[in-house]
Amino acid sequence: PGTSYNISSGMGWRPDGNGGQQWHEGIDIKVPKMTPVVAVEKGKVVAISTGCQENDQYCGGSYGNRVIIKHPNNYYTLVGHNTQVLVSQGEEVEAGQQIALSGNTGYSTGPHIHFEIVEGTATDQWGWHYPKGREGFRSDRKDPQTFRW
C-alpha cells in the first residue's frame, strides 16, 4: 500500500533477445525480490507451481513459481516468477491477500511480477491499472479450460 512500481514490459510484441520478436501475454512489474504479491480479487487458487529455482527457464512452464486464481465472472489471473508461493491449490483467497513473494524464477531476466488476466483469451491488463483501459488489445492465445498452465 502506498508503494508504486514501474511496468517494465507491457502486453504485446517485444524483442526476444535473439534478434526476433516474442508475444508477451501479460505485464511485467519491476519489483525487488521478495516483494509481497497479493490477489487482485477474491477467488479460488486453481493451480500453482513451486520448487523452481532462479535460472531454470523451463520450470513452471517458463512462469517459474506461479499462482493461478479463478475469480467470479469466470476469469483467471496468473502471477509468475515468484520466489515463494504462499497459498495452496484449492484455497479460497480474498482481495489483497498475500499469495506469493516476488522473484526471478522461470524464464526471467530479473526480479519482477508477471501479471496476466485470462477471460477465454489473454486480455489487456491496462484496464486493471487505468480505469478507462485501452482499446481492443486481445490475443487468441488460450482458453483457460484447455490451456496447460
Side-chain angles (χ1 to χ4, degrees):
T3 304
S4 63
Y5 299 104
N6 292 322
I7 295 174
S8 56
S9 184
M11 182 177 183
W13 292 104
R14 65 182 186 178
D16 67 4
N18 296 314
Q21 295 285 306
Q22 169 191 42
W23 181 256
H24 188 237
E25 291 291 343
I27 60 173
D28 291 342
I29 304 164
K30 185 178 179 180
V31 297
K33 193 172 176 181
M34 303 299 284
T35 298
V37 179
V38 300
V40 296
E41 189 174 347
K42 71 177 182 176
K44 183 176 184 177
V45 178
V46 296
I48 62 171
S49 65
T50 60
C52 300
Q53 303 297 314
E54 288 189 27
N55 301 317
D56 184 356
Q57 66 182 16
Y58 300 108
C59 189
S62 79
Y63 292 110
N65 297 323
R66 57 156 168 64
V67 177
I68 301 170
I69 300 173
K70 181 177 182 182
H71 302 280
N73 300 321
N74 203 33
Y75 75 93
Y76 299 75
T77 54
L78 176 151
V79 291
H81 305 300
N82 303 294
T83 295
Q84 185 177 0
V85 171
L86 303 175
V87 291
S88 300
Q89 188 166 332
E91 184 175 338
E92 297 285 338
V93 296
E94 296 297 322
Q97 178 179 335
Q98 189 172 337
I99 58 174
L101 296 172
S102 68
N104 187 28
T105 61
Y107 189 61
S108 174
T109 58
H112 71 283
I113 299 166
H114 175 87
F115 176 71
E116 189 172 323
I117 301 170
V118 180
E119 297 176 288
T121 60
T123 60
D124 185 8
Q125 286 72 34
W126 291 107
W128 281 84
H129 302 285
Y130 303 99
K132 295 193 185 282
R134 294 197 181 186
E135 296 298 321
F137 202 172
R138 298 182 68 86
S139 91
D140 58 1
R141 172 179 153 205
K142 61 185 177 252
D143 178 321
Q145 301 302 317
T146 59
F147 182 73
R148 294 174 294 130
W149 270 310

mmCIF file of all heavy atoms in Angstrom, residues 98-131:
data_model
loop_
_atom_site.group_PDB
_atom_site.id
_atom_site.type_symbol
_atom_site.label_atom_id
_atom_site.label_comp_id
_atom_site.label_asym_id
_atom_site.label_seq_id
_atom_site.Cartn_x
_atom_site.Cartn_y
_atom_site.Cartn_z
ATOM 1 N N GLN A 98 -2.053 -11.727 0.645
ATOM 2 C CA GLN A 98 -0.737 -12.061 0.121
ATOM 3 C C GLN A 98 -0.743 -13.506 -0.347
ATOM 4 O O GLN A 98 -1.130 -14.408 0.393
ATOM 5 C CB GLN A 98 0.330 -11.843 1.189
ATOM 6 C CG GLN A 98 1.732 -11.953 0.651
ATOM 7 C CD GLN A 98 2.785 -11.535 1.665
ATOM 8 O OE1 GLN A 98 2.510 -10.793 2.589
ATOM 9 N NE2 GLN A 98 3.986 -12.035 1.470
ATOM 10 N N ILE A 99 -0.301 -13.723 -1.596
ATOM 11 C CA ILE A 99 -0.316 -15.061 -2.179
ATOM 12 C C ILE A 99 1.079 -15.562 -2.549
ATOM 13 O O ILE A 99 1.269 -16.754 -2.775
ATOM 14 C CB ILE A 99 -1.232 -15.125 -3.411
ATOM 15 C CG1 ILE A 99 -0.806 -14.112 -4.480
ATOM 16 C CG2 ILE A 99 -2.690 -14.910 -3.011
ATOM 17 C CD1 ILE A 99 -1.559 -14.199 -5.802
ATOM 18 N N ALA A 100 2.048 -14.650 -2.634
ATOM 19 C CA ALA A 100 3.403 -15.042 -3.039
ATOM 20 C C ALA A 100 4.388 -13.945 -2.674
ATOM 21 O O ALA A 100 3.997 -12.851 -2.256
ATOM 22 C CB ALA A 100 3.442 -15.298 -4.551
ATOM 23 N N LEU A 101 5.671 -14.279 -2.859
ATOM 24 C CA LEU A 101 6.758 -13.305 -2.751
ATOM 25 C C LEU A 101 7.440 -13.261 -4.109
ATOM 26 O O LEU A 101 7.786 -14.306 -4.672
ATOM 27 C CB LEU A 101 7.752 -13.719 -1.663
ATOM 28 C CG LEU A 101 7.195 -13.747 -0.246
ATOM 29 C CD1 LEU A 101 8.217 -14.361 0.715
ATOM 30 C CD2 LEU A 101 6.809 -12.345 0.215
ATOM 31 N N SER A 102 7.617 -12.066 -4.642
ATOM 32 C CA SER A 102 8.156 -11.915 -5.993
ATOM 33 C C SER A 102 9.573 -12.468 -6.105
ATOM 34 O O SER A 102 10.270 -12.617 -5.107
ATOM 35 C CB SER A 102 8.152 -10.443 -6.400
ATOM 36 O OG SER A 102 9.089 -9.725 -5.625
ATOM 37 N N GLY A 103 9.953 -12.735 -7.345
ATOM 38 C CA GLY A 103 11.294 -13.273 -7.536
ATOM 39 C C GLY A 103 11.750 -13.238 -8.971
ATOM 40 O O GLY A 103 11.365 -12.350 -9.745
ATOM 41 N N ASN A 104 12.543 -14.246 -9.329
ATOM 42 C CA ASN A 104 13.218 -14.286 -10.616
ATOM 43 C C ASN A 104 13.312 -15.740 -11.091
ATOM 44 O O ASN A 104 14.341 -16.176 -11.573
ATOM 45 C CB ASN A 104 14.610 -13.655 -10.452
ATOM 46 C CG ASN A 104 15.356 -13.494 -11.750
ATOM 47 O OD1 ASN A 104 14.766 -13.352 -12.804
ATOM 48 N ND2 ASN A 104 16.678 -13.548 -11.673
ATOM 49 N N THR A 105 12.227 -16.509 -10.934
ATOM 50 C CA THR A 105 12.234 -17.919 -11.324
ATOM 51 C C THR A 105 11.623 -18.086 -12.708
ATOM 52 O O THR A 105 10.919 -17.218 -13.203
ATOM 53 C CB THR A 105 11.462 -18.780 -10.303
ATOM 54 O OG1 THR A 105 10.107 -18.347 -10.243
ATOM 55 C CG2 THR A 105 12.098 -18.711 -8.933
ATOM 56 N N GLY A 106 11.886 -19.235 -13.330
ATOM 57 C CA GLY A 106 11.392 -19.489 -14.672
ATOM 58 C C GLY A 106 12.180 -18.703 -15.696
ATOM 59 O O GLY A 106 13.336 -18.355 -15.483
ATOM 60 N N TYR A 107 11.542 -18.408 -16.821
ATOM 61 C CA TYR A 107 12.192 -17.666 -17.905
ATOM 62 C C TYR A 107 12.095 -16.187 -17.571
ATOM 63 O O TYR A 107 11.113 -15.518 -17.875
ATOM 64 C CB TYR A 107 11.516 -17.987 -19.236
ATOM 65 C CG TYR A 107 12.238 -17.437 -20.434
ATOM 66 C CD1 TYR A 107 13.542 -17.832 -20.721
ATOM 67 C CD2 TYR A 107 11.618 -16.548 -21.281
ATOM 68 C CE1 TYR A 107 14.213 -17.339 -21.815
ATOM 69 C CE2 TYR A 107 12.278 -16.045 -22.395
ATOM 70 C CZ TYR A 107 13.572 -16.446 -22.660
ATOM 71 O OH TYR A 107 14.233 -15.955 -23.757
ATOM 72 N N SER A 108 13.114 -15.666 -16.914
ATOM 73 C CA SER A 108 13.077 -14.324 -16.350
ATOM 74 C C SER A 108 14.467 -13.699 -16.414
ATOM 75 O O SER A 108 15.464 -14.394 -16.243
ATOM 76 C CB SER A 108 12.609 -14.417 -14.893
ATOM 77 O OG SER A 108 12.677 -13.188 -14.235
ATOM 78 N N THR A 109 14.505 -12.397 -16.631
ATOM 79 C CA THR A 109 15.799 -11.708 -16.716
ATOM 80 C C THR A 109 16.093 -10.852 -15.495
ATOM 81 O O THR A 109 17.107 -10.172 -15.448
ATOM 82 C CB THR A 109 15.846 -10.822 -17.967
ATOM 83 O OG1 THR A 109 14.755 -9.884 -17.907
ATOM 84 C CG2 THR A 109 15.726 -11.651 -19.234
ATOM 85 N N GLY A 110 15.218 -10.874 -14.513
ATOM 86 C CA GLY A 110 15.414 -10.108 -13.288
ATOM 87 C C GLY A 110 14.156 -10.150 -12.449
ATOM 88 O O GLY A 110 13.099 -10.569 -12.927
ATOM 89 N N PRO A 111 14.240 -9.744 -11.190
ATOM 90 C CA PRO A 111 13.076 -9.799 -10.304
ATOM 91 C C PRO A 111 11.911 -8.958 -10.843
ATOM 92 O O PRO A 111 12.093 -7.790 -11.197
ATOM 93 C CB PRO A 111 13.590 -9.218 -8.989
ATOM 94 C CG PRO A 111 15.067 -9.306 -9.057
ATOM 95 C CD PRO A 111 15.419 -9.202 -10.508
ATOM 96 N N HIS A 112 10.748 -9.573 -10.944
ATOM 97 C CA HIS A 112 9.538 -8.874 -11.354
ATOM 98 C C HIS A 112 8.331 -9.756 -11.083
ATOM 99 O O HIS A 112 8.463 -10.926 -10.765
ATOM 100 C CB HIS A 112 9.593 -8.474 -12.835
ATOM 101 C CG HIS A 112 9.482 -9.620 -13.798
ATOM 102 N ND1 HIS A 112 10.527 -10.466 -14.072
ATOM 103 C CD2 HIS A 112 8.449 -10.033 -14.552
ATOM 104 C CE1 HIS A 112 10.144 -11.362 -14.964
ATOM 105 N NE2 HIS A 112 8.872 -11.128 -15.272
ATOM 106 N N ILE A 113 7.163 -9.150 -11.219
ATOM 107 C CA ILE A 113 5.899 -9.887 -11.147
ATOM 108 C C ILE A 113 5.332 -9.930 -12.563
ATOM 109 O O ILE A 113 5.137 -8.883 -13.189
ATOM 110 C CB ILE A 113 4.889 -9.186 -10.223
ATOM 111 C CG1 ILE A 113 5.425 -9.096 -8.797
ATOM 112 C CG2 ILE A 113 3.539 -9.917 -10.248
ATOM 113 C CD1 ILE A 113 4.650 -8.135 -7.915
ATOM 114 N N HIS A 114 5.094 -11.125 -13.083
ATOM 115 C CA HIS A 114 4.358 -11.259 -14.338
ATOM 116 C C HIS A 114 2.895 -11.356 -13.947
ATOM 117 O O HIS A 114 2.503 -12.228 -13.171
ATOM 118 C CB HIS A 114 4.790 -12.511 -15.104
ATOM 119 C CG HIS A 114 3.959 -12.742 -16.330
ATOM 120 N ND1 HIS A 114 4.251 -12.167 -17.541
ATOM 121 C CD2 HIS A 114 2.821 -13.465 -16.504
ATOM 122 C CE1 HIS A 114 3.331 -12.530 -18.415
ATOM 123 N NE2 HIS A 114 2.448 -13.319 -17.805
ATOM 124 N N PHE A 115 2.056 -10.456 -14.470
ATOM 125 C CA PHE A 115 0.624 -10.429 -14.157
ATOM 126 C C PHE A 115 -0.158 -10.585 -15.440
ATOM 127 O O PHE A 115 0.084 -9.877 -16.415
ATOM 128 C CB PHE A 115 0.255 -9.110 -13.473
ATOM 129 C CG PHE A 115 -1.212 -8.959 -13.203
ATOM 130 C CD1 PHE A 115 -1.824 -9.724 -12.224
ATOM 131 C CD2 PHE A 115 -1.975 -8.058 -13.914
ATOM 132 C CE1 PHE A 115 -3.181 -9.598 -11.964
ATOM 133 C CE2 PHE A 115 -3.333 -7.912 -13.667
ATOM 134 C CZ PHE A 115 -3.937 -8.685 -12.687
ATOM 135 N N GLU A 116 -1.090 -11.523 -15.426
ATOM 136 C CA GLU A 116 -1.844 -11.842 -16.632
ATOM 137 C C GLU A 116 -3.297 -12.091 -16.269
ATOM 138 O O GLU A 116 -3.596 -12.697 -15.239
ATOM 139 C CB GLU A 116 -1.228 -13.099 -17.246
ATOM 140 C CG GLU A 116 -1.722 -13.467 -18.591
ATOM 141 C CD GLU A 116 -0.898 -14.607 -19.180
ATOM 142 O OE1 GLU A 116 0.331 -14.650 -18.980
ATOM 143 O OE2 GLU A 116 -1.503 -15.459 -19.845
ATOM 144 N N ILE A 117 -4.198 -11.640 -17.125
ATOM 145 C CA ILE A 117 -5.631 -11.889 -16.973
ATOM 146 C C ILE A 117 -6.073 -12.744 -18.143
ATOM 147 O O ILE A 117 -5.730 -12.456 -19.287
ATOM 148 C CB ILE A 117 -6.434 -10.576 -16.979
ATOM 149 C CG1 ILE A 117 -5.986 -9.658 -15.848
ATOM 150 C CG2 ILE A 117 -7.934 -10.870 -16.867
ATOM 151 C CD1 ILE A 117 -6.550 -8.257 -15.940
ATOM 152 N N VAL A 118 -6.863 -13.781 -17.860
ATOM 153 C CA VAL A 118 -7.387 -14.637 -18.917
ATOM 154 C C VAL A 118 -8.909 -14.700 -18.781
ATOM 155 O O VAL A 118 -9.428 -15.025 -17.725
ATOM 156 C CB VAL A 118 -6.796 -16.058 -18.828
ATOM 157 C CG1 VAL A 118 -7.355 -16.937 -19.931
ATOM 158 C CG2 VAL A 118 -5.284 -16.008 -18.897
ATOM 159 N N GLU A 119 -9.595 -14.342 -19.870
ATOM 160 C CA GLU A 119 -11.055 -14.450 -19.959
ATOM 161 C C GLU A 119 -11.374 -15.199 -21.241
ATOM 162 O O GLU A 119 -11.939 -14.626 -22.161
ATOM 163 C CB GLU A 119 -11.698 -13.066 -20.022
ATOM 164 C CG GLU A 119 -11.490 -12.207 -18.822
ATOM 165 C CD GLU A 119 -12.080 -10.819 -19.039
ATOM 166 O OE1 GLU A 119 -11.484 -10.059 -19.835
ATOM 167 O OE2 GLU A 119 -13.106 -10.532 -18.441
ATOM 168 N N GLY A 120 -11.008 -16.450 -21.338
ATOM 169 C CA GLY A 120 -11.146 -17.165 -22.600
ATOM 170 C C GLY A 120 -9.911 -16.946 -23.459
ATOM 171 O O GLY A 120 -9.351 -17.868 -23.989
ATOM 172 N N THR A 121 -9.458 -15.684 -23.561
ATOM 173 C CA THR A 121 -8.170 -15.367 -24.174
ATOM 174 C C THR A 121 -7.489 -14.375 -23.245
ATOM 175 O O THR A 121 -8.137 -13.727 -22.429
ATOM 176 C CB THR A 121 -8.324 -14.726 -25.570
ATOM 177 O OG1 THR A 121 -9.072 -13.517 -25.450
ATOM 178 C CG2 THR A 121 -9.010 -15.664 -26.546
ATOM 179 N N ALA A 122 -6.197 -14.262 -23.366
ATOM 180 C CA ALA A 122 -5.489 -13.278 -22.552
ATOM 181 C C ALA A 122 -5.988 -11.897 -22.953
ATOM 182 O O ALA A 122 -6.196 -11.618 -24.128
ATOM 183 C CB ALA A 122 -3.986 -13.383 -22.774
ATOM 184 N N THR A 123 -6.235 -11.039 -21.987
ATOM 185 C CA THR A 123 -6.768 -9.716 -22.270
ATOM 186 C C THR A 123 -5.795 -8.641 -21.829
ATOM 187 O O THR A 123 -4.864 -8.904 -21.076
ATOM 188 C CB THR A 123 -8.115 -9.500 -21.563
ATOM 189 O OG1 THR A 123 -7.913 -9.638 -20.158
ATOM 190 C CG2 THR A 123 -9.144 -10.522 -22.020
ATOM 191 N N ASP A 124 -6.069 -7.436 -22.262
ATOM 192 C CA ASP A 124 -5.191 -6.309 -21.960
ATOM 193 C C ASP A 124 -5.266 -5.946 -20.483
ATOM 194 O O ASP A 124 -6.319 -5.584 -19.978
ATOM 195 C CB ASP A 124 -5.584 -5.124 -22.833
ATOM 196 C CG ASP A 124 -4.646 -3.952 -22.680
ATOM 197 O OD1 ASP A 124 -3.606 -4.093 -22.012
ATOM 198 O OD2 ASP A 124 -4.952 -2.898 -23.233
ATOM 199 N N GLN A 125 -4.146 -6.038 -19.801
ATOM 200 C CA GLN A 125 -4.104 -5.784 -18.372
ATOM 201 C C GLN A 125 -4.164 -4.309 -18.011
ATOM 202 O O GLN A 125 -4.309 -3.970 -16.854
ATOM 203 C CB GLN A 125 -2.826 -6.399 -17.763
ATOM 204 C CG GLN A 125 -2.897 -7.897 -17.671
ATOM 205 C CD GLN A 125 -2.789 -8.604 -19.001
ATOM 206 O OE1 GLN A 125 -2.109 -8.186 -19.908
ATOM 207 N NE2 GLN A 125 -3.495 -9.696 -19.153
ATOM 208 N N TRP A 126 -4.061 -3.420 -18.984
ATOM 209 C CA TRP A 126 -4.035 -1.994 -18.664
ATOM 210 C C TRP A 126 -5.297 -1.569 -17.938
ATOM 211 O O TRP A 126 -5.272 -0.661 -17.120
ATOM 212 C CB TRP A 126 -3.836 -1.163 -19.913
ATOM 213 C CG TRP A 126 -2.478 -1.332 -20.488
ATOM 214 C CD1 TRP A 126 -2.165 -2.011 -21.626
ATOM 215 C CD2 TRP A 126 -1.245 -0.868 -19.950
ATOM 216 N NE1 TRP A 126 -0.812 -1.982 -21.837
ATOM 217 C CE2 TRP A 126 -0.225 -1.287 -20.825
ATOM 218 C CE3 TRP A 126 -0.909 -0.137 -18.815
ATOM 219 C CZ2 TRP A 126 1.107 -0.994 -20.599
ATOM 220 C CZ3 TRP A 126 0.418 0.158 -18.596
ATOM 221 C CH2 TRP A 126 1.409 -0.266 -19.482
ATOM 222 N N GLY A 127 -6.419 -2.186 -18.230
ATOM 223 C CA GLY A 127 -7.670 -1.815 -17.575
ATOM 224 C C GLY A 127 -7.620 -1.984 -16.065
ATOM 225 O O GLY A 127 -8.372 -1.357 -15.334
ATOM 226 N N TRP A 128 -6.707 -2.824 -15.586
ATOM 227 C CA TRP A 128 -6.573 -3.025 -14.143
ATOM 228 C C TRP A 128 -5.806 -1.891 -13.501
ATOM 229 O O TRP A 128 -5.864 -1.706 -12.308
ATOM 230 C CB TRP A 128 -5.860 -4.351 -13.864
ATOM 231 C CG TRP A 128 -6.801 -5.471 -14.004
ATOM 232 C CD1 TRP A 128 -7.152 -6.106 -15.162
ATOM 233 C CD2 TRP A 128 -7.569 -6.069 -12.974
ATOM 234 N NE1 TRP A 128 -8.076 -7.058 -14.907
ATOM 235 C CE2 TRP A 128 -8.341 -7.075 -13.573
ATOM 236 C CE3 TRP A 128 -7.660 -5.868 -11.595
ATOM 237 C CZ2 TRP A 128 -9.221 -7.867 -12.836
ATOM 238 C CZ3 TRP A 128 -8.520 -6.667 -10.872
ATOM 239 C CH2 TRP A 128 -9.282 -7.640 -11.486
ATOM 240 N N HIS A 129 -5.088 -1.125 -14.276
ATOM 241 C CA HIS A 129 -4.257 -0.054 -13.731
ATOM 242 C C HIS A 129 -4.797 1.324 -14.068
ATOM 243 O O HIS A 129 -4.546 2.273 -13.368
ATOM 244 C CB HIS A 129 -2.822 -0.185 -14.244
ATOM 245 C CG HIS A 129 -2.236 -1.501 -13.890
ATOM 246 N ND1 HIS A 129 -1.813 -1.800 -12.618
ATOM 247 C CD2 HIS A 129 -2.056 -2.623 -14.609
ATOM 248 C CE1 HIS A 129 -1.389 -3.043 -12.585
ATOM 249 N NE2 HIS A 129 -1.516 -3.560 -13.778
ATOM 250 N N TYR A 130 -5.548 1.402 -15.178
ATOM 251 C CA TYR A 130 -6.109 2.665 -15.626
ATOM 252 C C TYR A 130 -7.595 2.434 -15.862
ATOM 253 O O TYR A 130 -7.962 1.697 -16.773
ATOM 254 C CB TYR A 130 -5.438 3.126 -16.919
ATOM 255 C CG TYR A 130 -3.944 3.258 -16.758
ATOM 256 C CD1 TYR A 130 -3.091 2.264 -17.187
ATOM 257 C CD2 TYR A 130 -3.399 4.380 -16.131
ATOM 258 C CE1 TYR A 130 -1.719 2.376 -17.012
ATOM 259 C CE2 TYR A 130 -2.033 4.492 -15.950
ATOM 260 C CZ TYR A 130 -1.204 3.496 -16.398
ATOM 261 O OH TYR A 130 0.140 3.602 -16.221
ATOM 262 N N PRO A 131 -8.469 3.044 -15.065
ATOM 263 C CA PRO A 131 -9.897 2.753 -15.140
ATOM 264 C C PRO A 131 -10.497 2.847 -16.543
ATOM 265 O O PRO A 131 -11.396 2.097 -16.869
ATOM 266 C CB PRO A 131 -10.512 3.804 -14.212
ATOM 267 C CG PRO A 131 -9.432 4.122 -13.250
ATOM 268 C CD PRO A 131 -8.142 3.993 -14.025
#
